Amino acid sequence: MTKIILCCALVAPAMYSTTVAAAWDIGGGAEMYSWVEITSAAGETRKPKELGFRKAFSFNWEQDDVRDVMLGYRGKVYLGTVNYDTYIQMNGSPNDGDPVSTTTQYLGMTHEGQMTYRSSFGSYRLDYVGAAGWDWWKRTIGYSQVEDYSILFVRGGIAFDQPARGSGWHGGGGLKYPFFTREDSHLDAQGFNSNPILTPGKDISFYAEISYRISKQLDVVGYYDSWRFSKSNVVISSNSSGSFHIWQPESSMDAIGLKAMFSF
């Protein structure tokens, strides 16, 4: 799977024509990652939380022309291990609700195709950006519990930039919406007799980016990204202890990152 992710990240930009003026960017950095769930145990509201740093590598391509409508691609590969403070969930057993700490390993990728309408705002270029993409990640809790997420989404927003990629500040932001969600918790690998799929609920989230272009070849970029999911559908599966109701609780993801991007 790791080889597939890296190949997709490198090959996807080649789907676009390079016969027009275009800008390529590649780089990477680190992001502070947070995942919070809102649920209950023993009659109390609990907020299990993951927190830690992940590495992130970005690959961007966009037409850089005077035309009104342009195409682009944004790709990202991310990985890392974060701390996870949660609690024991045993459906009413004496240990239900006891706190426990472990780690979660992440490996994921994002691919996104975008369309931009270019106008101007004073001395800046003003772009209206619409995009559709796919975000996939594998979440390994401890050493055995694996969850695969697959999210199809749309996003829309604005971006400001200096003309002719001049030095100075630029950035933008907007809204994201996941119109398709799928979570495979691999329950059959954890001793259950079936593996029903969960579909986390769909909520709007925000993204933003602010950059300083040091030269035509180098940008330092600070960014914020997020997901918001309401409670998923409830499924039933059984193991040797009986039948269980299983769902993904209301969840929120926030990532604040810093990266260097090199243009060519």
Side-chain angles (χ1 to χ4, degrees):
M1 178 59 72
T2 302
K3 292 181 179 179
I4 294 174
I5 291 173
L6 294 176
C7 287
C8 288
L10 293 172
V11 171
M15 296 186 297
Y16 295 95
S17 170
T18 59
T19 59
V20 298
W24 295 77
D25 303 289
I26 185 171
E31 58 186 26
M32 172 60 76
Y33 175 82
S34 171
W35 175 277
V36 179
E37 300 173 350
I38 300 177
T39 184
S40 62
E44 298 180 1
T45 298
R46 302 294 177 94
K47 293 185 178 181
K49 183 176 183 178
E50 297 176 347
L51 185 65
F53 283 98
R54 304 191 309 190
K55 302 179 184 69
F57 305 94
S58 298
F59 316 85
N60 303 331
W61 175 90
E62 63 179 356
Q63 292 179 337
D64 190 15
D65 210 340
V66 296
R67 65 185 65 198
D68 291 337
V69 178
M70 293 163 292
L71 300 178
Y73 162 83
R74 292 166 65 93
K76 179 181 176 182
V77 174
Y78 50 91
L79 68 162
T81 301
V82 300
N83 296 321
Y84 188 20
D85 293 319
T86 183
Y87 63 91
I88 295 174
Q89 302 176 59
M90 299 292 289
N91 283 19
S93 80
N95 293 324
D96 194 20
D98 288 350
V100 61
S101 294
T102 184
T103 59
T104 302
Q105 300 177 48
Y106 276 91
L107 175 64
M109 62 178 177
T110 304
H111 296 289
E112 173 186 301
Q114 65 183 36
M115 180 176 292
T116 300
Y117 176 80
R118 174 154 293 170
S119 62
S120 62
F121 185 79
S123 61
Y124 277 79
R125 299 187 311 198
L126 173 60
D127 293 343
Y128 299 91
V129 182
W134 173 45
D135 195 3
W136 174 91
W137 67 87
K138 180 182 291 291
R139 181 180 181 224
T140 305
I141 302 172
Y143 296 98
S144 58
Q145 184 177 340
V146 177
E147 299 173 352
D148 291 335
Y149 286 74
S150 187
I151 311 296
L152 298 180
F153 66 92
V154 291
R155 73 174 179 94
I158 59 173
F160 292 93
D161 199 357
Q162 296 278 359
R165 297 182 65 82
S167 62
W169 294 97
H170 59 105
L175 302 176
K176 297 167 58 180
Y177 181 75
F179 64 87
F180 172 86
T181 61
R182 184 180 190 273
E183 177 187 346
D184 183 352
S185 297
H186 300 279
L187 296 173
D188 50 349
Q190 301 175 46
F192 288 87
N193 60 9
S194 62
N195 183 40
I197 298 299
L198 299 174
T199 55
K202 309 169 184 68
D203 284 337
I204 293 173
S205 62
F206 297 89
Y207 70 92
E209 183 175 288
I210 184 168
S211 309
Y212 186 80
R213 180 168 295 125
I214 298 173
S215 68
K216 287 187 176 182
Q217 286 74 42
L218 177 62
D219 290 75
V220 177
V221 183
Y223 63 91
Y224 167 76
D225 198 8
S226 64
W227 284 120
R228 295 293 184 268
F229 302 113
S230 54
K231 180 180 175 180
S232 75
N233 59 316
V234 179
V235 300
I236 299 176
S237 191
S238 302
N239 61 19
S240 58
S241 300
S243 297
F244 295 85
H245 290 81
I246 300 168
W247 66 90
Q248 174 63 33
E250 177 184 346
S251 306
S252 62
M253 183 280 282
D254 297 278
I256 300 175
L258 184 65
K259 60 184 178 181
M261 298 297 294
F262 299 91
S263 304
F264 56 96

